[in-house]
């Protein structure tokens, strides 16, 4: 993750397919010449012709969504001494963890997400290039003339394709479809070349019979994304890469200030990086469709949170990312600014404000994801790079007591932590945004060593649907774990072995971007993130639904007789005869327990 993109996924409805008219008379018959012995020896023919068709692709924005600011990347970039800040970026592309940036001045550089958004100047790949896209064994680029250029990783000289009477300003290599896309600013044509260099398709882009200006090309999950400049405003389109380039989804960009948008790099199916000119306060911004991070997940709801009240946070607290209760009734609240606040029980007064200091990392904007305590008076704050700092309280002050790294696979991301004071175990769930990557509950001992790992399961089975929820925060209470979903407005109730027992829905008001939660005495406390120009959301307090549906939980040492009903792992069971110690969830043909239904259904 580039930073806390947070909170974070429900599919938008697909938009009506664009109507495409094909005009065979519009075939471009002039040959495309390759000025390259390198390509001649490889896979590209010297005189390639169009072997498909030319047509018009109509961009459909009838029911477009909104892309809003998620994180102002350029505002938090760390520069070496003497290095100028990024100014007027014209091209960006992601080679994770590096976000490559080309400026109007010709300077090339990278922003490294693995080192807390540090900037490093690079030797220019190509002089005078205005857009660049990495390809197979090299990079493609354009200079605003009638040629497409390629430079091999081996250091060979610049190669070029000639397209007479065109002005090529945007380029993108689509690795999933093995296609090269380029935009001609003069004719408003989008060109597609195949992997062997043959010009297969030409699409003239129109919107209400008006030619469209393209300022950026990108791709994700097999679809092509366009950044456009059109009245009134700037839009992003997701197009299928079939012959007609049908519009799948569209969004209007809504950011503060009026400025020129210069390029786009898709991050996931609901967010992207946008570059823009320097007359704005942030030149590179992550934007997202916030409406996508609401709604129901793939598992049926079994209950609903009920709002009890809210508590406003002091003005000093911005972008809260973690919450944890103190033994004296107060609270700790961590923020994206690498601070932890000690607050009174009603959140109205700040008792202490701790600026976190790390020795081994630079804790930049958004690096603090969670806060936890084992004794109710000192706290641990954990960064997104899994670096832990321990602060001990002395009177009204806090002093740093220790710093260490969690020994967990570096490719796993976490956004919350819970603590069980009885077992002295910590619990964390990885928050992968990849629905096909297994989400796992990690159990750590009091020395912060991983002891067990449990894949999230449902009804005794490991299912892919469980991976879609994406952990944003986690809390422990009464031998249950409460997992805040980053993808849906839902809470998963888990056993301490990762079994999903309940799915609880909640309203997005008054917190539009929930970031963490705490559970105390059947009440749930939730905090939310906010963007730069938004007020900090209040702390919302909810009552939890009755997780036992009016019955009592099953106890291993209790005697049950025929007809007794209990709840285990979210299901209601009825005893067939006298029993003690028989686990209701272990069902077999002669089981003493009969499964009745899921609690809440």
């Amino acid at each position: 993750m580039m930073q806390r993109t947070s909170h974070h996924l429900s599919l938008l409805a697909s938009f009506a397919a664009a109507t495409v008219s094909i005009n065979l008379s519009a075939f471009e018959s002039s040959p495309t010449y390759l000025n390259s012995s390198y390509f001649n020896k490889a896979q590209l023919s010297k005189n390639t012709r169009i072997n498909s068709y030319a047509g018009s692709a109509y961009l459909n924005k009838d029911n477009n969504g909104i892309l809003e600011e998620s994180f102002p990347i350029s505002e938090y970039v760390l520069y070496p001494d003497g290095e100028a800040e990024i100014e007027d970026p014209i091209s960006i592309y992601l080679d994770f963890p590096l976000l490559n940036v080309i400026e109007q001045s010709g300077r090339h550089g990278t922003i490294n997400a693995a080192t807390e958004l540090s900037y490093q100047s690079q030797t220019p790949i190509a002089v005078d290039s205005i857009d660049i896209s990495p390809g197979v064994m090299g990079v493609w680029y354009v200079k605003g003339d009638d040629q497409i250029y390629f430079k091999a990783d081996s250091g060979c000289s610049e190669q070029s394709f000639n397209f007479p009477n065109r002005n090529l300003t945007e380029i993108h290599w689509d690795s999933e479809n093995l296609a090269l896309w380029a935009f001609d600013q003069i004719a408003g044509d989008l060109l597609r070349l195949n992997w062997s260099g043959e010009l297969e398709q030409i699409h003239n882009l129109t919107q209400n019979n008006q030619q469209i200006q393209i300022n950026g090309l990108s791709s994700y999950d097999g679809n092509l994304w366009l950044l456009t400049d059109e009245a009134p405003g700037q839009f992003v389109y997701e197009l299928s890469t079939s012959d007609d380039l049908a519009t799948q989804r569209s969004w209007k960009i809504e950011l503060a200030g009026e400025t020129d948008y210069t390029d786009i790099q898709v991050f996931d199916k609901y967010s992207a990086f946008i570059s823009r000119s320097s007359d704005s306060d942030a030149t590179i911004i992550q934007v997202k469709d916030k409406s996508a991070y609401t709604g129901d997940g793939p598992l049926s709801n079994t209950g609903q949170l009920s709002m009890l009240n809210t508590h406003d946070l002091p003005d000093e607290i911005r972008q809260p990312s973690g919450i944890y209760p103190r033994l004296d009734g107060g609270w700790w609240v961590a923020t994206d600014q690498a601070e932890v606040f000690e607050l009174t029980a009603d959140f109205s007064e700040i008792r202490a404000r701790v600026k976190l200091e790390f020795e081994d990392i630079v804790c930049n904007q958004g690096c603090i994801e969670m806060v936890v305590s084992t004794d109710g008076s000192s706290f641990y704050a954990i960064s997104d790079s899994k670096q832990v700092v321990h602060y001990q309280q002395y009177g009204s002050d806090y002093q740093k007591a220790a710093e260490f790294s969690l020994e967990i696979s570096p490719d796993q991301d976490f956004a919350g932590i819970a603590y069980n004071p009885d077992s002295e175990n910590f619990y964390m769930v990885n928050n992968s945004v990849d629905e096909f990557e297994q989400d796992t509950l990690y159990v750590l001992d009091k020395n912060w060593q991983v002891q067990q790992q449990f894949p999230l399961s449902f009804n005794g089975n490991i299912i892919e649907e469980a991976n879609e929820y994406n952990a944003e925060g986690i809390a422990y209470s009464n031998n249950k774990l409460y997992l805040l979903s980053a993808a849906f407005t839902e809470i998963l109730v888990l056993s301490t072995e990762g079994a999903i027992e309940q799915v609880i829905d909640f309203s997005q008001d008054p917190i539009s971007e929930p970031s963490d939660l705490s559970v105390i005495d059947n009440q749930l406390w939730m905090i939310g993130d906010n963007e730069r120009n938004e007020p900090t959301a209040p702390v919302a307090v909810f009552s939890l639904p009755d997780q036992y549906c009016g019955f009592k939980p099953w106890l291993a040492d209790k005697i049950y007789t025929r007809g007794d009903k209990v709840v285990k792992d979210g299901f209601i069971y009825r005893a067939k005869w006298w029993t003690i110690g028989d686990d209701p969830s272990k069902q077999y043909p002669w089981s003493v327990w009969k499964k009745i239904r899921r609690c809440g259904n």
Side-chain angles (χ1 to χ4, degrees), residues 28 145-146 163-170 181-191 202-205 211-214 217:
E28 181 170 288
D145 54 23
D146 62 357
F163 292 84
N165 302 317
R166 291 192 179 278
N167 181 13
L168 302 168
T169 57
E170 302 294 332
W181 300 89
F183 178 68
D184 172 19
Q185 189 177 49
I186 294 177
D189 287 341
L190 187 62
L191 313 182
I202 301 176
H203 297 273
N204 187 257
L205 302 178
Q211 183 175 308
I212 297 298
Q213 173 62 41
I214 303 298
L217 299 173

Side-chain angles (χ1 to χ4, degrees), residues 22 24 26-28 30 32 44-45 48-55 148 161 163 166 173-174 177-182 190-203 241-245:
I22 304 222
L24 296 180
F27 257 62
E28 181 170 288
S30 59
T32 299
L44 304 178
S45 60
T48 57
R49 295 177 181 270
I50 301 170
N51 58 15
S52 184
Y53 59 82
I148 293 176
F161 301 74
F163 292 84
R166 291 192 179 278
W173 169 254
D174 178 358
N177 294 299
L178 298 179
L180 182 67
W181 300 89
L190 187 62
L191 313 182
R192 173 173 175 160
L193 289 78
N194 66 17
W195 67 274
S196 63
E198 294 177 323
L199 181 57
E200 291 189 319
Q201 298 172 4
I202 301 176
H203 297 273
T241 49
S242 59
D243 290 345
D244 58 4
L245 290 187

Side-chain angles (χ1 to χ4, degrees), residues 64-68 250-254 288-291:
N64 58 272
I66 300 297
L67 289 177
E68 304 174 71
S250 64
W251 299 267
K252 184 177 182 181
I253 301 174
E254 289 195 355
K288 70 179 180 182
D289 182 351
K290 294 183 179 179
S291 69

Side-chain angles (χ1 to χ4, degrees), residues 314-344:
D315 293 339
E316 292 90 339
I317 297 179
R318 299 287 297 166
Q319 298 176 305
S321 59
I323 184 172
Y324 203 83
R326 290 174 49 86
L327 286 181
D328 61 7
W331 298 89
W332 286 294
V333 172
T335 74
D336 280 355
Q337 284 73 36
E339 293 182 310
V340 172
F341 292 82
E342 181 191 331
L343 301 170
T344 54

Side-chain angles (χ1 to χ4, degrees), residues 444-593:
L444 291 72
D445 63 18
K446 63 181 181 180
N447 297 315
W448 298 85
Q449 301 300 308
V450 176
Q451 297 300 303
Q452 294 176 295
Q453 298 179 38
F454 299 101
L456 296 193
S457 62
F458 181 70
N459 288 350
N461 299 311
I462 298 173
I463 57 173
E464 291 183 356
E465 288 86 346
N467 302 330
E468 298 182 29
Y469 284 88
N470 305 333
E472 183 60 28
I474 189 170
Y476 172 88
S477 179
N478 296 324
N479 208 35
K480 301 293 179 186
L481 295 168
Y482 296 82
L483 180 70
L484 174 63
S485 170
F488 312 104
T489 47
E490 292 179 332
I491 307 290
L492 298 184
V493 182
L494 309 176
S495 74
T496 53
E497 294 183 351
I500 300 174
E501 299 180 356
Q502 286 184 284
V503 181
I504 304 173
D505 190 37
F506 64 90
S507 170
Q508 200 174 18
D509 296 329
I511 300 176
S512 61
E513 297 188 40
S515 57
D516 200 13
L517 76 168
S518 184
V519 177
I520 305 173
D521 297 332
N522 210 43
Q523 292 186 355
L524 186 147
W525 306 70
M526 186 183 298
I527 59 172
D529 198 1
N530 62 281
E531 308 309 336
R532 293 178 302 161
N533 301 318
E534 299 174 351
T536 301
V539 179
V541 186
F542 302 89
S543 65
L544 288 165
D546 179 7
Q547 60 181 305
Y548 300 116
C549 301
F551 301 101
K552 292 184 178 181
W554 174 78
L555 299 175
D557 58 354
K558 180 178 174 58
I559 294 175
Y560 297 96
T561 59
R562 179 174 177 170
D564 286 345
K565 293 181 180 179
V566 297
V567 172
K568 176 71 163 58
D569 295 341
F571 283 89
I572 302 172
Y573 297 87
R574 183 178 65 240
K576 298 177 183 178
W577 52 79
W578 185 99
T579 179
I580 182 172
D582 288 303
D583 187 342
S585 64
K586 309 297 184 184
Q587 291 285 294
Y588 43 89
W590 54 91
S591 175
V592 67
W593 294 99

Side-chain angles (χ1 to χ4, degrees), residues 127 187 284 439 482 484:
V127 178
I284 302 175
D439 286 350
Y482 296 82
L484 174 63

